[in-house]
Amino acid sequence: MDVRIVASAAEVAREGAAKVAGLLNRLDDTVLGLATGETPRAMYRELVLAFERKELSFAGVTSFNLDEYLGLEPGSPQSYRSYMQRELFDHVDIDPLNTFLPFCEAGQHPDEVGPAYEAEIRRRGGIDLQILGIGRNGHIGFNEPASSLGSRTRVKTLTRETLASNRRYFGPGETQPELAITMGVATILDAQEILLLATGESKADAVRAAVEGPVAAMCPASALQLHRRVTVLVDDAAASKLELADYFRWVDEQNRRLESEGVEWNRS
Ligand code: F6R
């Protein structure tokens, strides 16, 4: 794992956006895996600004989101589709037909959504870069603790903790779904490259378990240890419980020096 510790959430956003921009400018047709939530919001803002400065284009991008609530009306402001429109899609030149979320259409059986989603990902050549946030309980996507590390896109019941933490997005009287359709852990691990973002002290335990804990279904993010190209981009607060924080900072310093000299190889 390439663990990058930076000073602030704003820097996480800038570095994350720079990584995405680098990929978009390198590949003609990029397939991005996208996350919602609080953490990537500032990174999307950076990407929109870069688009406005004409530094990048989303014209050749296909995107697959990690997850979507089950049972929300299409167009509901709390849906992850609405979030993506608001935070990114409405402000850049991405073709709406190339943006996918695991949404269950009216009349469709929820169990059909996952296999169809996986087939579409394969049809588009697989995900080049998967963006992830992390839950306080170590979830990635909505793969809650004890999710199979071999899981594929499917329906999941959210934990009470996740429901409580996302309750703030639902107004009084609005129904918060307890089910979601999420990429599985194995779906996420299929991506060519993974970028996990975490900011704030509330994520410090989860980051520690993901990076330094045992690979265990109790912390689904720990499965990322099995992937060859993962960057964990965190601010000081989210890194505050890492035992190896000094080592990670030292490695990062070396890596940045090598990069500035034009040397680049996979060091994860
Ligand atoms: C969102 C997602 C979740 C979030 C995680 C962290 O699509 O899949 O795993 O990344 O719950 O959420 P925030 O960033 O709101 O703390």
Side-chain angles (χ1 to χ4, degrees), residues 35-40 66-67 80 133-135 139-141 168-169 203:
T36 58
E38 216 37 56
T39 316
L66 281 165
D67 38 24
Y80 286 167
I134 185 169
H139 73 211
I140 45 175
R168 62 202 147 124
Y169 301 116
K203 300 295 174 69

Side-chain angles (χ1 to χ4, degrees), residues 43-257:
M43 183 187 77
Y44 294 143
R45 210 169 307 127
E46 292 288 336
L47 287 170
V48 170
L49 291 173
F51 169 75
E52 287 170 358
R53 292 193 301 266
K54 304 198 186 336
E55 290 166 10
L56 55 83
S57 164
F58 286 80
V61 171
T62 298
S63 71
F64 288 93
N65 265 78
L66 281 165
D67 38 24
E68 178 58 285
Y69 285 116
L70 184 59
L72 284 187
E73 291 298 315
S76 150
Q78 287 91 6
S79 73
Y80 286 167
R81 160 62 71 184
S82 297
Y83 169 104
M84 288 310 305
Q85 296 298 141
R86 258 190 328 263
E87 303 297 330
L88 184 65
F89 299 159
D90 285 347
H91 313 288
V92 296
D93 58 347
I94 196 163
D95 180 344
L97 294 175
N98 291 336
T99 63
F100 297 90
L101 287 93
F103 179 71
C104 188
E105 307 284 344
Q108 193 180 19
H109 192 286
D111 282 348
E112 293 168 12
V113 178
Y117 202 61
E118 302 257 344
E120 190 62 34
I121 295 174
R122 278 195 304 275
R123 208 171 72 75
R124 302 285 180 141
I127 290 172
D128 296 304
L129 176 67
Q130 176 67 57
I131 310 292
L132 295 176
I134 185 169
R136 274 181 255 186
N137 61 7
H139 73 211
I140 45 175
F142 275 137
N143 296 287
E144 300 285 29
S147 287
S148 161
L149 301 187
S151 52
R152 315 288 325 183
T153 308
R154 72 223 180 280
V155 177
K156 273 302 281 184
T157 303
L158 307 184
T159 60
R160 289 198 172 96
E161 187 187 4
T162 299
L163 289 168
S165 132
N166 290 349
R167 178 75 221 156
R168 62 202 147 124
Y169 301 116
F170 294 82
E174 284 176 334
T175 315
Q176 181 183 15
E178 291 163 356
L179 299 176
I181 300 183
T182 178
M183 281 188 198
V185 177
T187 321
I188 292 169
L189 292 178
D190 280 347
Q192 287 294 319
E193 189 173 359
I194 296 175
L195 172 64
L196 182 141
L197 311 175
T199 57
E201 215 187 323
S202 66
K203 300 295 174 69
D205 284 320
V207 167
R208 169 144 199 225
V211 173
E212 296 178 344
V215 174
M218 278 306 281
C219 176
S222 66
L224 300 179
Q225 293 174 28
L226 299 169
H227 195 281
R228 288 175 58 244
R229 292 188 73 200
V230 177
T231 303
V232 176
L233 178 57
V234 292
D235 65 1
D236 281 331
S240 59
K241 296 204 173 153
L242 287 173
E243 206 171 297
L244 298 180
D246 281 347
Y247 172 66
F248 294 135
R249 286 197 174 91
W250 161 245
V251 171
D252 198 28
E253 233 173 80
Q254 304 299 314
N255 287 347
R256 284 175 200 263
R257 186 176 55 76

